[in-house]
Amino acid sequence: MVQRGDLAAFELVYERHKRAAYSLAYRIVGSRAVAEDVVQEVFLSVWRSKERYDARRASVRTWLLRIVRWRAIDALRAGSHARNEVHGDGVAESVESREAGPDEAVVRGDEAAAVRTAVKWLPTDQRQVVELAYFRGFSQSEIAEIVDAPLGTVKGRMRLALDKLRTSLDDTVAEREAEEVTE
Amino acid sequence: MNDAHDSQAEWRDSAAAFVLGALDPLEEQAFRRRMMRDPAIAAYVERELQPVADELLQAVEPIEPPASLSRSLIAAAQADLDAREVLDRSSAHVTSRPPRPRGGSRGWLGLDGRLGLKPAIAMAALAVALAGSFALGRIAGDDAGQVVPQAPSVAFEGVTANGASGRASLLEGGERGAVIYVRGLSPSRGGDVYQLWIARGRRVYPSTVFAVGRDRSGASYVPEDVIGADALMITREPAGGSDQPTGDVLVKAEI
């Protein structure tokens, strides 16, 4: 509908995903003004059908957030300021104190909560390389310089971090399925 | 056995770096080729690692975006919609400069100038202007009603371009962005463009670029917020625009 130029559908998509998109953009660029630019650019790009959604590959939210990440990293690289800084309180920051709205309820699925918890429990050196790569846009060779570690070590930390996060996610899914069976 | 083990460890390392976006461009290309050759690796990335990376995107501290973002976004989409209709009736051409780095003392994160919105809105403004609606400091008239709704505007006056004039009109009550229209300038040739500069204090920030047609008029959408600026200036620049003015100020609008 959005790609056919339905403004109401576009507004609905924005309302549904605005918080997740803006939160991610801000998480990466660390500036509300730049985050606004990134989100506006992403949604307008979607509106103008430059970004083609393929339902076979990902949910709308995942698809949008991937684009937000790309654009935010681009903005971060272009600005080059504060790229080494950590904005906000990190991916593992708890959001339990906030009341969940309809939009957030979607964001805060079991998997996302599990990932947040799992990220918290990652060893610092593994969490650091994930942060630098995924939320700062550094390459593995750049990260090796930043953390002053051999490239092979950095690669290993990334793999270990993702393996642990994946295991946590799998466990969560398995637990949920078990609960559903017992219910 | 060891070779096989080393190989598996190596591609698993690469797979992790790949989904985290940490491979250098050449490494990424090589890994993509490897995934194409080996479906098992591709499946591992897609089914095992990518979902984790996708979840990471949602595992950030939620922050509510400002309401103004929604308003400006919907207004821009509406303007785009309106402009498409105008574009269908128009044959003029407007160009925009590519995205510009943001940061330091100059520049903003511009919307992608190669896309439809800026040219579309600019075209809408141009069409409106050519229809004679630039008057009394506002863009008015049925065609412009939704594109630039009763926006305050400032006039360009010739500096080194005698007889040139124009107007910059704010979008959405001046929240963000504007549309400019100028006339009386020499037509663009050889890829040269006209570029808008926004002066704030002693600093001059580059903004949108546009072409001037044989009718000596041109128009463009300005994505940056011009509220609080001291002046808008237009110079002639090489193709793609410049980071600093290289040509004389042709017209200027004091704000």
Side-chain angles (χ1 to χ4, degrees), chain B residues 42 45 55 80 88 109 117 122 126 134 140 167 207-208 220 227-228 231 248:
Chain B
V45 168
E55 288 295 339
D80 190 28
D88 289 342
L109 175 74
L117 180 63
L126 179 59
F134 271 92
R167 192 162 291 279
S207 182
T208 186
S220 189
I227 298 294
D248 294 331

Side-chain angles (χ1 to χ4, degrees), chain A residues 113-145:
Chain A
V115 170
R116 277 197 294 270
T117 305
V119 169
K120 280 183 184 176
W121 287 100
L122 283 178
T124 304
D125 54 1
Q126 292 175 22
R127 194 165 61 236
Q128 184 183 35
V129 296
V130 170
E131 166 70 29
L132 289 170
Y134 209 45
F135 293 99
R136 290 293 166 273
F138 287 109
S139 68
Q140 55 187 5
S141 50
E142 290 173 322
I143 294 171
E145 286 185 24

Side-chain angles (χ1 to χ4, degrees), chain B residues 38-105:
Chain B
D38 191 337
I41 295 178
Y44 174 76
V45 168
E46 189 168 336
R47 294 174 195 162
E48 305 293 333
L49 296 188
Q50 191 61 57
V52 179
D54 289 339
E55 288 295 339
L56 277 174
L57 298 179
Q58 301 190 42
V60 300
E61 181 184 5
I63 299 173
E64 190 69 31
S68 59
L69 180 58
S70 174
R71 288 198 296 271
S72 64
L73 186 64
I74 300 306
Q78 178 65 62
D80 190 28
L81 211 54
D82 295 338
R84 284 178 195 171
E85 294 179 14
V86 178
L87 273 175
D88 289 342
R89 303 194 299 266
S90 177
S91 60
H93 298 284
V94 174
T95 60
S96 296
R97 67 171 304 171
R100 183 186 313 108
R102 180 185 180 117
S105 62

Side-chain angles (χ1 to χ4, degrees), chain B residues 146-215:
Chain B
Q146 290 184 309
V147 177
V148 192
Q150 296 297 301
S153 64
V154 292
F156 282 109
E157 293 179 357
V159 178
T160 58
N162 292 331
S165 63
R167 192 162 291 279
S169 298
L170 304 183
L171 287 172
E172 278 294 288
E175 250 184 56
R176 181 183 287 269
V179 172
I180 59 169
Y181 168 75
V182 288
R183 57 190 161 199
L185 297 175
S186 301
S188 304
R189 287 196 198 93
D192 279 6
V193 294
Y194 287 87
Q195 184 165 5
L196 180 74
W197 303 90
I198 303 177
R200 295 178 187 276
R202 292 182 177 181
R203 289 180 176 168
V204 176
Y205 297 84
S207 182
T208 186
V209 300
F210 59 97
V212 167
R214 278 187 287 184
D215 64 352

Side-chain angles (χ1 to χ4, degrees), chain A residues 7 14 19 23 26 34 36-37 40 47-48 50 66 69 78-79 91 95 112 134 139-141 159 162 166, chain B residues 13 19-20 22 24 27 48 53-55 59 62-64 66 72-73 77-78 80 102 112 115 117 176:
Chain A
L7 193 59
Y14 174 74
R19 186 179 295 146
S23 303
Y26 178 74
V34 181
E36 286 179 41
D37 285 342
Q40 176 146 326
W47 169 244
R48 295 189 299 252
K50 187 195 176 195
R66 285 178 186 174
R69 178 181 168 271
V91 289
V95 294
Y134 209 45
S139 68
Q140 55 187 5
S141 50
R159 176 173 51 79
L162 280 188
R166 179 166 59 91
Chain B
D13 283 352
V19 299
L20 291 174
D24 292 321
E27 294 172 328
E48 305 293 333
D54 289 339
E55 288 295 339
I63 299 173
E64 190 69 31
S72 64
L73 186 64
Q78 178 65 62
D80 190 28
R102 180 185 180 117
D112 189 338
L115 304 180
L117 180 63
R176 181 183 287 269

